[in-house]
mmCIF file of all heavy atoms in Angstrom:
data_model
loop_
_atom_site.group_PDB
_atom_site.id
_atom_site.type_symbol
_atom_site.label_atom_id
_atom_site.label_comp_id
_atom_site.label_asym_id
_atom_site.label_seq_id
_atom_site.Cartn_x
_atom_site.Cartn_y
_atom_site.Cartn_z
ATOM 1 N N GLY A 317 98.100 103.526 129.449
ATOM 2 C CA GLY A 317 98.659 104.692 130.135
ATOM 3 C C GLY A 317 99.458 105.579 129.203
ATOM 4 O O GLY A 317 99.356 106.822 129.259
ATOM 5 N N MET A 318 100.233 104.966 128.302
ATOM 6 C CA MET A 318 101.020 105.745 127.343
ATOM 7 C C MET A 318 100.107 106.479 126.357
ATOM 8 O O MET A 318 100.407 107.613 125.941
ATOM 9 C CB MET A 318 101.981 104.816 126.603
ATOM 10 C CG MET A 318 103.058 104.219 127.493
ATOM 11 S SD MET A 318 103.958 102.910 126.663
ATOM 12 C CE MET A 318 104.551 103.763 125.225
ATOM 13 N N ALA A 319 99.013 105.815 125.968
ATOM 14 C CA ALA A 319 98.076 106.448 125.032
ATOM 15 C C ALA A 319 97.442 107.688 125.666
ATOM 16 O O ALA A 319 97.298 108.735 125.020
ATOM 17 C CB ALA A 319 97.003 105.440 124.626
ATOM 18 N N VAL A 320 97.062 107.578 126.940
ATOM 19 C CA VAL A 320 96.493 108.724 127.644
ATOM 20 C C VAL A 320 97.528 109.840 127.761
ATOM 21 O O VAL A 320 97.214 111.029 127.602
ATOM 22 C CB VAL A 320 95.994 108.291 129.040
ATOM 23 C CG1 VAL A 320 95.570 109.499 129.855
ATOM 24 C CG2 VAL A 320 94.829 107.328 128.897
ATOM 25 N N ASP A 321 98.759 109.467 128.035
ATOM 26 C CA ASP A 321 99.839 110.449 128.186
ATOM 27 C C ASP A 321 100.009 111.284 126.918
ATOM 28 O O ASP A 321 100.231 112.500 126.976
ATOM 29 C CB ASP A 321 101.138 109.731 128.528
ATOM 30 C CG ASP A 321 102.253 110.698 128.886
ATOM 31 O OD1 ASP A 321 102.030 111.557 129.747
ATOM 32 O OD2 ASP A 321 103.342 110.597 128.280
ATOM 33 N N ALA A 322 99.888 110.626 125.754
ATOM 34 C CA ALA A 322 100.020 111.349 124.484
ATOM 35 C C ALA A 322 98.934 112.411 124.351
ATOM 36 O O ALA A 322 99.187 113.541 123.900
ATOM 37 C CB ALA A 322 99.945 110.363 123.314
ATOM 38 N N ASN A 323 97.707 112.061 124.755
ATOM 39 C CA ASN A 323 96.614 113.034 124.694
ATOM 40 C C ASN A 323 96.819 114.176 125.675
ATOM 41 O O ASN A 323 96.559 115.344 125.368
ATOM 42 C CB ASN A 323 95.283 112.331 124.982
ATOM 43 C CG ASN A 323 94.746 111.585 123.779
ATOM 44 O OD1 ASN A 323 94.515 112.173 122.732
ATOM 45 N ND2 ASN A 323 94.581 110.289 123.921
ATOM 46 N N ILE A 324 97.282 113.873 126.885
ATOM 47 C CA ILE A 324 97.487 114.900 127.903
ATOM 48 C C ILE A 324 98.521 115.922 127.440
ATOM 49 O O ILE A 324 98.339 117.140 127.596
ATOM 50 C CB ILE A 324 97.909 114.253 129.238
ATOM 51 C CG1 ILE A 324 96.715 113.521 129.861
ATOM 52 C CG2 ILE A 324 98.468 115.294 130.201
ATOM 53 C CD1 ILE A 324 97.044 112.764 131.120
ATOM 54 N N ILE A 325 99.623 115.426 126.858
ATOM 55 C CA ILE A 325 100.662 116.348 126.369
ATOM 56 C C ILE A 325 100.081 117.293 125.315
ATOM 57 O O ILE A 325 100.305 118.509 125.353
ATOM 58 C CB ILE A 325 101.846 115.553 125.792
ATOM 59 C CG1 ILE A 325 102.564 114.791 126.914
ATOM 60 C CG2 ILE A 325 102.827 116.478 125.076
ATOM 61 C CD1 ILE A 325 103.644 113.851 126.414
ATOM 62 N N THR A 326 99.301 116.732 124.391
ATOM 63 C CA THR A 326 98.703 117.557 123.327
ATOM 64 C C THR A 326 97.730 118.579 123.896
ATOM 65 O O THR A 326 97.781 119.775 123.561
ATOM 66 C CB THR A 326 97.978 116.666 122.304
ATOM 67 O OG1 THR A 326 98.906 115.743 121.740
ATOM 68 C CG2 THR A 326 97.370 117.498 121.195
ATOM 69 N N PHE A 327 96.844 118.130 124.779
ATOM 70 C CA PHE A 327 95.812 119.023 125.308
ATOM 71 C C PHE A 327 96.414 120.127 126.188
ATOM 72 O O PHE A 327 95.923 121.260 126.182
ATOM 73 C CB PHE A 327 94.776 118.224 126.093
ATOM 74 C CG PHE A 327 94.053 117.200 125.265
ATOM 75 C CD1 PHE A 327 93.461 116.093 125.858
ATOM 76 C CD2 PHE A 327 93.967 117.332 123.881
ATOM 77 C CE1 PHE A 327 92.793 115.145 125.091
ATOM 78 C CE2 PHE A 327 93.305 116.382 123.110
ATOM 79 C CZ PHE A 327 92.725 115.292 123.722
ATOM 80 N N GLU A 328 97.453 119.805 126.942
ATOM 81 C CA GLU A 328 98.102 120.826 127.775
ATOM 82 C C GLU A 328 98.745 121.907 126.901
ATOM 83 O O GLU A 328 98.698 123.097 127.233
ATOM 84 C CB GLU A 328 99.151 120.182 128.688
ATOM 85 C CG GLU A 328 98.566 119.461 129.896
ATOM 86 C CD GLU A 328 97.873 120.407 130.854
ATOM 87 O OE1 GLU A 328 98.157 121.625 130.832
ATOM 88 O OE2 GLU A 328 97.015 119.940 131.636
ATOM 89 N N ARG A 329 99.345 121.479 125.800
ATOM 90 C CA ARG A 329 99.944 122.466 124.885
ATOM 91 C C ARG A 329 98.863 123.353 124.259
ATOM 92 O O ARG A 329 99.062 124.555 124.082
ATOM 93 C CB ARG A 329 100.747 121.751 123.786
ATOM 94 C CG ARG A 329 101.996 121.058 124.299
ATOM 95 C CD ARG A 329 103.027 122.060 124.814
ATOM 96 N NE ARG A 329 104.189 121.430 125.384
ATOM 97 C CZ ARG A 329 105.261 121.076 124.694
ATOM 98 N NH1 ARG A 329 105.305 121.290 123.393
ATOM 99 N NH2 ARG A 329 106.280 120.520 125.306
ATOM 100 N N ILE A 330 97.722 122.756 123.913
ATOM 101 C CA ILE A 330 96.620 123.538 123.351
ATOM 102 C C ILE A 330 96.104 124.544 124.383
ATOM 103 O O ILE A 330 95.842 125.711 124.065
ATOM 104 C CB ILE A 330 95.484 122.604 122.872
ATOM 105 C CG1 ILE A 330 95.952 121.764 121.678
ATOM 106 C CG2 ILE A 330 94.242 123.409 122.491
ATOM 107 C CD1 ILE A 330 94.958 120.715 121.231
ATOM 108 N N LYS A 331 95.975 124.106 125.629
ATOM 109 C CA LYS A 331 95.499 125.006 126.686
ATOM 110 C C LYS A 331 96.493 126.144 126.928
ATOM 111 O O LYS A 331 96.085 127.282 127.174
ATOM 112 C CB LYS A 331 95.283 124.207 127.977
ATOM 113 C CG LYS A 331 94.064 123.288 127.914
ATOM 114 C CD LYS A 331 93.990 122.343 129.102
ATOM 115 C CE LYS A 331 93.672 123.073 130.387
ATOM 116 N NZ LYS A 331 93.479 122.152 131.523
ATOM 117 N N GLU A 332 97.786 125.858 126.847
ATOM 118 C CA GLU A 332 98.798 126.909 127.004
ATOM 119 C C GLU A 332 98.647 127.981 125.928
ATOM 120 O O GLU A 332 98.757 129.190 126.198
ATOM 121 C CB GLU A 332 100.193 126.293 126.936
ATOM 122 C CG GLU A 332 100.582 125.514 128.185
ATOM 123 C CD GLU A 332 101.948 124.868 128.023
ATOM 124 O OE1 GLU A 332 102.622 125.145 127.004
ATOM 125 O OE2 GLU A 332 102.342 124.083 128.911
ATOM 126 N N GLU A 333 98.402 127.521 124.692
ATOM 127 C CA GLU A 333 98.219 128.475 123.595
ATOM 128 C C GLU A 333 96.956 129.308 123.793
ATOM 129 O O GLU A 333 96.928 130.508 123.488
ATOM 130 C CB GLU A 333 98.161 127.722 122.256
ATOM 131 C CG GLU A 333 99.427 126.955 121.894
ATOM 132 C CD GLU A 333 100.617 127.873 121.705
ATOM 133 O OE1 GLU A 333 100.428 129.017 121.236
ATOM 134 O OE2 GLU A 333 101.748 127.455 122.048
ATOM 135 N N MET A 334 95.912 128.710 124.309
ATOM 136 C CA MET A 334 94.670 129.460 124.565
ATOM 137 C C MET A 334 94.889 130.508 125.651
ATOM 138 O O MET A 334 94.360 131.623 125.573
ATOM 139 C CB MET A 334 93.561 128.495 124.994
ATOM 140 C CG MET A 334 92.973 127.689 123.861
ATOM 141 S SD MET A 334 91.545 126.730 124.418
ATOM 142 C CE MET A 334 91.090 125.927 122.877
ATOM 143 N N ARG A 335 95.644 130.135 126.688
ATOM 144 C CA ARG A 335 95.900 131.083 127.777
ATOM 145 C C ARG A 335 96.698 132.296 127.284
ATOM 146 O O ARG A 335 96.683 133.356 127.908
ATOM 147 C CB ARG A 335 96.641 130.378 128.902
ATOM 148 C CG ARG A 335 95.800 129.331 129.640
ATOM 149 C CD ARG A 335 96.506 128.801 130.868
ATOM 150 N NE ARG A 335 95.706 127.755 131.516
ATOM 151 C CZ ARG A 335 96.002 126.466 131.464
ATOM 152 N NH1 ARG A 335 97.074 126.055 130.788
ATOM 153 N NH2 ARG A 335 95.240 125.587 132.082
ATOM 154 N N ARG A 336 97.411 132.127 126.184
ATOM 155 C CA ARG A 336 98.167 133.238 125.608
ATOM 156 C C ARG A 336 97.281 134.155 124.766
ATOM 157 O O ARG A 336 97.763 135.149 124.218
ATOM 158 C CB ARG A 336 99.307 132.701 124.746
ATOM 159 C CG ARG A 336 100.395 132.021 125.562
ATOM 160 C CD ARG A 336 101.420 131.367 124.665
ATOM 161 N NE ARG A 336 102.429 130.667 125.452
ATOM 162 C CZ ARG A 336 103.347 129.847 124.941
ATOM 163 N NH1 ARG A 336 103.361 129.616 123.621
ATOM 164 N NH2 ARG A 336 104.222 129.264 125.722
ATOM 165 N N GLY A 337 96.015 133.786 124.618
ATOM 166 C CA GLY A 337 95.076 134.636 123.910
ATOM 167 C C GLY A 337 94.818 134.255 122.477
ATOM 168 O O GLY A 337 94.121 134.971 121.764
ATOM 169 N N LYS A 338 95.341 133.122 122.024
ATOM 170 C CA LYS A 338 95.121 132.706 120.645
ATOM 171 C C LYS A 338 93.721 132.139 120.478
ATOM 172 O O LYS A 338 93.082 131.711 121.448
ATOM 173 C CB LYS A 338 96.156 131.660 120.235
ATOM 174 C CG LYS A 338 97.584 132.182 120.139
ATOM 175 C CD LYS A 338 98.520 131.112 119.610
ATOM 176 C CE LYS A 338 99.938 131.628 119.467
ATOM 177 N NZ LYS A 338 100.856 130.596 118.941
ATOM 178 N N SER A 339 93.254 132.085 119.229
ATOM 179 C CA SER A 339 91.947 131.500 118.935
ATOM 180 C C SER A 339 92.010 129.980 119.133
ATOM 181 O O SER A 339 93.084 129.393 119.231
ATOM 182 C CB SER A 339 91.536 131.813 117.496
ATOM 183 O OG SER A 339 92.418 131.152 116.593
ATOM 184 N N ILE A 340 90.829 129.369 119.165
ATOM 185 C CA ILE A 340 90.777 127.922 119.396
ATOM 186 C C ILE A 340 91.486 127.168 118.270
ATOM 187 O O ILE A 340 92.284 126.254 118.519
ATOM 188 C CB ILE A 340 89.311 127.458 119.540
ATOM 189 C CG1 ILE A 340 88.708 128.033 120.817
ATOM 190 C CG2 ILE A 340 89.237 125.934 119.563
ATOM 191 C CD1 ILE A 340 87.249 127.681 121.038
ATOM 192 N N MET A 341 91.215 127.549 117.008
ATOM 193 C CA MET A 341 91.851 126.859 115.882
ATOM 194 C C MET A 341 93.358 127.088 115.874
ATOM 195 O O MET A 341 94.138 126.160 115.657
ATOM 196 C CB MET A 341 91.240 127.324 114.561
ATOM 197 C CG MET A 341 91.893 126.695 113.323
ATOM 198 S SD MET A 341 91.899 124.884 113.330
ATOM 199 C CE MET A 341 90.162 124.552 112.989
ATOM 200 N N SER A 342 93.778 128.319 116.124
ATOM 201 C CA SER A 342 95.210 128.622 116.163
ATOM 202 C C SER A 342 95.890 127.870 117.305
ATOM 203 O O SER A 342 97.008 127.355 117.150
ATOM 204 C CB SER A 342 95.416 130.126 116.309
ATOM 205 O OG SER A 342 96.791 130.435 116.374
ATOM 206 N N SER A 343 95.210 127.798 118.449
ATOM 207 C CA SER A 343 95.761 127.061 119.598
ATOM 208 C C SER A 343 95.881 125.571 119.281
ATOM 209 O O SER A 343 96.860 124.920 119.655
ATOM 210 C CB SER A 343 94.864 127.253 120.823
ATOM 211 O OG SER A 343 94.801 128.600 121.199
ATOM 212 N N PHE A 344 94.866 125.053 118.588
ATOM 213 C CA PHE A 344 94.898 123.636 118.212
ATOM 214 C C PHE A 344 96.099 123.343 117.297
ATOM 215 O O PHE A 344 96.840 122.374 117.516
ATOM 216 C CB PHE A 344 93.596 123.251 117.509
ATOM 217 C CG PHE A 344 93.641 121.911 116.832
ATOM 218 C CD1 PHE A 344 93.550 120.744 117.574
ATOM 219 C CD2 PHE A 344 93.791 121.820 115.447
ATOM 220 C CE1 PHE A 344 93.603 119.501 116.941
ATOM 221 C CE2 PHE A 344 93.835 120.589 114.815
ATOM 222 C CZ PHE A 344 93.746 119.425 115.563
ATOM 223 N N LYS A 345 96.293 124.177 116.285
ATOM 224 C CA LYS A 345 97.399 123.949 115.349
ATOM 225 C C LYS A 345 98.753 124.088 116.033
ATOM 226 O O LYS A 345 99.643 123.241 115.863
ATOM 227 C CB LYS A 345 97.293 124.918 114.172
ATOM 228 C CG LYS A 345 96.110 124.651 113.256
ATOM 229 C CD LYS A 345 96.063 125.650 112.112
ATOM 230 C CE LYS A 345 94.901 125.368 111.168
ATOM 231 N NZ LYS A 345 94.835 126.355 110.056
ATOM 232 N N SER A 346 98.917 125.147 116.818
ATOM 233 C CA SER A 346 100.201 125.380 117.485
ATOM 234 C C SER A 346 100.482 124.308 118.535
ATOM 235 O O SER A 346 101.590 123.784 118.635
ATOM 236 C CB SER A 346 100.215 126.760 118.148
ATOM 237 O OG SER A 346 100.023 127.782 117.195
ATOM 238 N N GLY A 347 99.459 123.969 119.342
ATOM 239 C CA GLY A 347 99.636 122.969 120.388
ATOM 240 C C GLY A 347 99.920 121.590 119.827
ATOM 241 O O GLY A 347 100.764 120.858 120.356
ATOM 242 N N SER A 348 99.230 121.239 118.741
ATOM 243 C CA SER A 348 99.452 119.926 118.120
ATOM 244 C C SER A 348 100.852 119.837 117.540
ATOM 245 O O SER A 348 101.544 118.810 117.675
ATOM 246 C CB SER A 348 98.413 119.696 117.016
ATOM 247 O OG SER A 348 97.108 119.672 117.555
ATOM 248 N N ARG A 349 101.270 120.914 116.899
ATOM 249 C CA ARG A 349 102.607 120.928 116.295
ATOM 250 C C ARG A 349 103.703 120.874 117.364
ATOM 251 O O ARG A 349 104.689 120.143 117.229
ATOM 252 C CB ARG A 349 102.761 122.169 115.421
ATOM 253 C CG ARG A 349 104.058 122.209 114.634
ATOM 254 C CD ARG A 349 104.038 123.293 113.562
ATOM 255 N NE ARG A 349 103.706 124.597 114.125
ATOM 256 C CZ ARG A 349 102.551 125.239 113.910
ATOM 257 N NH1 ARG A 349 101.616 124.681 113.164
ATOM 258 N NH2 ARG A 349 102.319 126.435 114.447
ATOM 259 N N ALA A 350 103.514 121.618 118.449
ATOM 260 C CA ALA A 350 104.535 121.671 119.497
ATOM 261 C C ALA A 350 104.649 120.354 120.260
ATOM 262 O O ALA A 350 105.735 119.993 120.724
ATOM 263 C CB ALA A 350 104.219 122.808 120.462
ATOM 264 N N SER A 351 103.540 119.647 120.401
ATOM 265 C CA SER A 351 103.556 118.404 121.190
ATOM 266 C C SER A 351 103.982 117.185 120.383
ATOM 267 O O SER A 351 104.369 116.163 120.957
ATOM 268 C CB SER A 351 102.164 118.153 121.767
ATOM 269 O OG SER A 351 101.215 117.960 120.723
ATOM 270 N N LEU A 352 103.923 117.291 119.054
ATOM 271 C CA LEU A 352 104.164 116.116 118.218
ATOM 272 C C LEU A 352 105.563 115.538 118.426
ATOM 273 O O LEU A 352 105.740 114.332 118.585
ATOM 274 C CB LEU A 352 103.950 116.471 116.742
ATOM 275 C CG LEU A 352 104.129 115.304 115.762
ATOM 276 C CD1 LEU A 352 103.140 114.195 116.055
ATOM 277 C CD2 LEU A 352 103.964 115.797 114.322
ATOM 278 N N ARG A 353 106.574 116.415 118.440
ATOM 279 C CA ARG A 353 107.945 115.916 118.561
ATOM 280 C C ARG A 353 108.177 115.240 119.906
ATOM 281 O O ARG A 353 108.817 114.183 119.986
ATOM 282 C CB ARG A 353 108.939 117.071 118.381
ATOM 283 C CG ARG A 353 110.375 116.606 118.451
ATOM 284 C CD ARG A 353 111.335 117.695 118.041
ATOM 285 N NE ARG A 353 112.711 117.217 118.112
ATOM 286 C CZ ARG A 353 113.759 117.931 117.733
ATOM 287 N NH1 ARG A 353 113.592 119.147 117.243
ATOM 288 N NH2 ARG A 353 114.972 117.433 117.838
ATOM 289 N N THR A 354 107.647 115.826 120.975
ATOM 290 C CA THR A 354 107.801 115.231 122.306
ATOM 291 C C THR A 354 107.177 113.835 122.361
ATOM 292 O O THR A 354 107.776 112.884 122.874
ATOM 293 C CB THR A 354 107.136 116.125 123.372
ATOM 294 O OG1 THR A 354 107.722 117.415 123.324
ATOM 295 C CG2 THR A 354 107.308 115.536 124.764
#
Side-chain angles (χ1 to χ4, degrees):
M318 294 169 57
V320 172
D321 188 52
N323 280 301
I324 288 176
I325 293 173
T326 301
F327 299 157
E328 283 295 339
R329 292 294 176 88
I330 293 174
K331 288 171 70 175
E332 286 177 7
E333 298 297 327
M334 284 187 179
R335 292 188 183 106
R336 291 173 182 170
K338 292 185 178 180
S339 66
I340 293 178
M341 177 55 73
S342 179
S343 298
F344 168 76
K345 291 180 179 179
S346 300
S348 297
R349 186 168 54 250
S351 63
L352 182 61
R353 182 170 180 176
T354 302

